[in-house]
Amino acid sequence: MGDTGTTWSAFEAAEPELAATVRERFGQHTHHALATVRKDGSPRLSGIEAGFRFGELWLGMMPNSRKALDLRRDPRLALLANPGPGTDMGGGDVRVSGRAVEITDPETVARYVAEAGDPQPFHLFRVEPTEVVRTWVDGEELVLRTWVPGHPARTIRRGNDDSPPRRES
């Protein structure tokens, strides 16, 4: 674990229902969107494949790709699941923010390659979530379910009027 003190498996243990929804949402499509921080501090948005293996969320990248170099320099990231075609978002919009921890241990990389089949060489990062958010529409309301380490998930509902958002939990 890095500075966040959490792993995907810790999130999954704390919030199994939200974690299952997020995993299912990421599993609907192969390609997703990764936001990293460029050297000048501006955001970089890149396509990426993300996968869940061994109880963790993983990102594999081509050697010396810009996104890999970004994460080596500044590990902060946001990962958005592909919303899919149309406007229904197939169960909601999900996002994982956190830190990327580069994994260089040959045994762990070999285990990952044996299961994922990724070509080598490549950069392998494990995601340490600092926030997980699911957003969906329920009738006339926008609903957000959000989790941060050390706190239970909470639900916020917001309508199309001027009334303030309502917290459910």
Side-chain angles (χ1 to χ4, degrees):
M1 287 184 285
D3 295 341
T4 64
T6 195
T7 60
W8 181 266
S9 56
F11 160 62
E12 205 164 36
E15 294 293 336
E17 186 178 320
L18 179 57
T21 299
V22 171
R23 284 181 74 142
E24 188 274 328
R25 191 67 193 80
F26 271 100
Q28 289 179 4
H29 299 281
T30 302
H31 298 98
H32 307 287
L34 174 70
T36 59
V37 181
R38 296 174 189 250
K39 189 183 289 188
D40 68 2
S42 63
R44 182 187 314 275
L45 192 59
S46 306
I48 193 157
E49 294 181 24
F52 295 91
R53 289 175 175 75
F54 325 120
E56 301 302 336
L57 174 56
W58 299 89
L59 306 173
M61 299 169 205
M62 292 173 38
N64 298 313
S65 63
R66 294 291 184 191
K67 58 191 163 193
L69 297 177
D70 286 347
L71 291 174
R72 282 179 142 184
R73 188 186 60 264
D74 184 336
R76 293 176 295 167
L77 64 85
L79 181 64
L80 176 70
N82 184 328
T87 59
D88 68 347
M89 295 193 303
D93 181 62
V94 297
R95 176 180 46 84
V96 176
S97 297
R99 296 175 46 85
V101 177
E102 187 167 17
I103 304 301
T104 57
D105 169 60
E107 189 175 307
T108 303
V109 171
R111 181 178 175 214
Y112 180 88
V113 169
E115 185 168 308
D118 285 345
Q120 290 194 38
F122 70 108
H123 296 286
L124 180 61
F125 295 91
R126 187 187 71 238
V127 175
E128 293 183 342
T130 57
E131 182 184 43
V132 179
V133 179
R134 176 181 178 223
T135 306
W136 71 99
V137 176
D138 182 16
E140 296 295 316
E141 293 182 311
L142 181 68
V143 184
L144 288 90
R145 181 93 174 138
T146 182
W147 172 87
V148 295
H151 300 280
R154 61 187 176 141
T155 300
I156 301 168
R157 291 180 170 272
R158 188 172 78 197
N160 286 332
D161 55 20
D162 290 340
S163 57
R166 296 183 329 276
R167 291 184 187 213
E168 292 184 347
S169 55

